[in-house]
Amino acid sequence: MNIAILCGGRGTRLESKTKGKPKILIDVNKKPFVYLLLESLINKGFNNIFLLTSYKSNLIKEEVGKFYKNIPINYIEDDNNFKSGTASALLNAIDKLPSHFLLQYGDTILDINYKDFYHKSEILDNYLLMSIFDNKNNLDKNNVLYDNKSLIYYNSESPKNHNKIFDANFIDYGLLGMHKKFVDKYIGILSENESLKYYQEKLSLRNLIYPYIVHKRFYEIGNPESYENFKNNYVSGKLKKIINSCS
């Protein structure tokens, strides 16, 4: 299975913890977060992993190396031809990625059936498959309107969408499935804005996103509060079970 990880972020909100390193290298119980992420993905069956890097990418390469537990790690560095951002990272990498792949944010550990999600995405070659979670605004504010088994609208959370956020009842879970030919078909939308959220919003308005409901929460290190929560769940053993699980 193929997966690309967005790990170009510098972790601005975590600067006191990252100490100038890329966010994905932040320590969790004296271990770089990237190792926990790779461990989880390899245990779930991924054997073709791409790290989409940008900020101080050399530090990630030096830390991880060419292999992790005998699985090759492929690096695609942002060549700065586009504005820095999540959509730009995908736009820069698309020609070097396989014909079908999953795309995940590099600051999360997900409790999802990756194999089921992957196989559903393989079939849906004319849609973007998006994982969503009934979060009840607990982990973060909702940004997806889901109704009658359909994803009605994805909110990019730009200022012009302020009123629409109140209608949202699910949250983006942080895992997408896509075919390269789909990305190529709508490459114009992808290049309009550096944010992947903008791309998802535009696709939702064209009814091109197929929802995948997830029933268990995600764990992320995006801000100081969620980072401390992540560490506590790791030390308690809860996250270790998710990381070590093969399902």
Side-chain angles (χ1 to χ4, degrees):
M1 298 196 297
N2 310 312
I3 191 165
I5 306 298
L6 294 163
C7 52
R10 65 176 62 205
T12 305
R13 292 176 291 178
L14 292 169
E15 282 182 335
S16 63
K17 307 290 184 181
T18 59
K19 299 177 181 178
K21 296 185 293 185
K23 179 167 58 173
I24 200 168
L25 295 183
I26 194 169
D27 286 340
V28 177
N29 203 31
K30 299 182 179 180
K31 181 182 292 188
F33 173 81
V34 65
Y35 289 157
L36 307 182
L37 178 57
L38 292 174
E39 187 88 23
S40 178
L41 295 174
I42 291 170
N43 285 337
K44 305 303 183 294
F46 289 99
N47 54 11
N48 203 16
I49 299 173
F50 297 82
L51 299 185
L52 310 190
T53 63
S54 180
Y55 175 68
K56 293 187 177 180
S57 58
N58 60 306
L59 296 182
I60 300 175
K61 292 177 183 177
E62 290 171 6
E63 180 65 50
V64 178
K66 296 181 179 179
F67 293 87
Y68 186 78
K69 295 201 168 180
N70 297 320
I71 298 296
I73 305 299
N74 308 283
Y75 299 91
I76 304 179
E77 185 173 356
D78 193 336
D79 57 14
N80 295 316
N81 284 337
F82 312 102
K83 291 182 179 179
S84 60
T86 47
S88 302
L90 176 58
L91 189 63
N92 175 74
I94 192 62
D95 289 339
K96 301 172 185 175
L97 292 170
S99 60
H100 171 251
F101 60 94
L102 303 189
L103 183 68
Q104 178 174 325
Y105 289 104
D107 59 359
T108 59
I109 296 291
L110 306 180
D111 194 359
I112 186 173
N113 188 330
Y114 278 100
K115 290 179 182 177
D116 184 63
F117 186 88
Y118 193 91
H119 294 319
K120 279 186 169 56
S121 177
E122 278 185 311
I123 298 168
L124 294 167
D125 56 349
N126 291 316
Y127 293 87
L128 182 75
L129 183 63
M130 181 192 294
S131 56
I132 61 175
F133 175 62
D134 186 3
N135 149 69
K136 297 180 173 59
N137 281 315
N138 288 329
L139 301 176
D140 205 340
K141 59 185 176 183
N142 292 328
N143 55 6
V144 173
L145 177 58
Y146 172 80
D147 185 52
N148 197 25
K149 298 183 179 180
S150 297
L151 193 150
I152 309 299
Y153 179 66
Y154 178 90
N155 195 326
S156 67
E157 302 171 57
S158 69
K160 65 183 176 63
N161 294 344
H162 180 71
N163 292 330
K164 293 181 180 179
I165 200 70
F166 297 108
D167 296 325
N169 54 359
F170 276 71
I171 191 171
D172 176 5
Y173 194 72
L175 183 67
L176 302 171
M178 63 193 75
H179 288 256
K180 183 186 287 189
K181 67 177 185 179
F182 176 88
V183 179
D184 287 339
K185 186 175 181 179
Y186 300 101
I187 200 82
I189 300 175
L190 186 63
S191 61
E192 286 178 11
N193 189 286
E194 63 270 19
S195 172
L196 196 61
K197 291 182 177 182
Y198 177 89
Y199 178 63
Q200 291 168 267
E201 179 179 282
K202 289 293 186 179
L203 291 180
S204 75
L205 293 173
R206 298 189 183 198
N207 298 316
L208 290 171
I209 298 182
Y210 195 91
Y212 182 97
I213 306 296
V214 185
H215 300 287
K216 297 179 181 179
R217 64 160 293 185
F218 56 84
Y219 298 84
E220 52 102 4
I221 58 166
N223 59 65
E225 183 181 355
S226 62
Y227 171 63
E228 292 301 324
N229 180 268
F230 187 97
K231 287 198 301 180
N232 291 337
N233 278 290
Y234 183 76
V235 173
S236 72
K238 188 172 184 178
L239 263 168
K240 290 179 183 179
K241 291 180 181 178
I242 296 171
I243 292 168
N244 295 331
S245 171
C246 295
S247 60

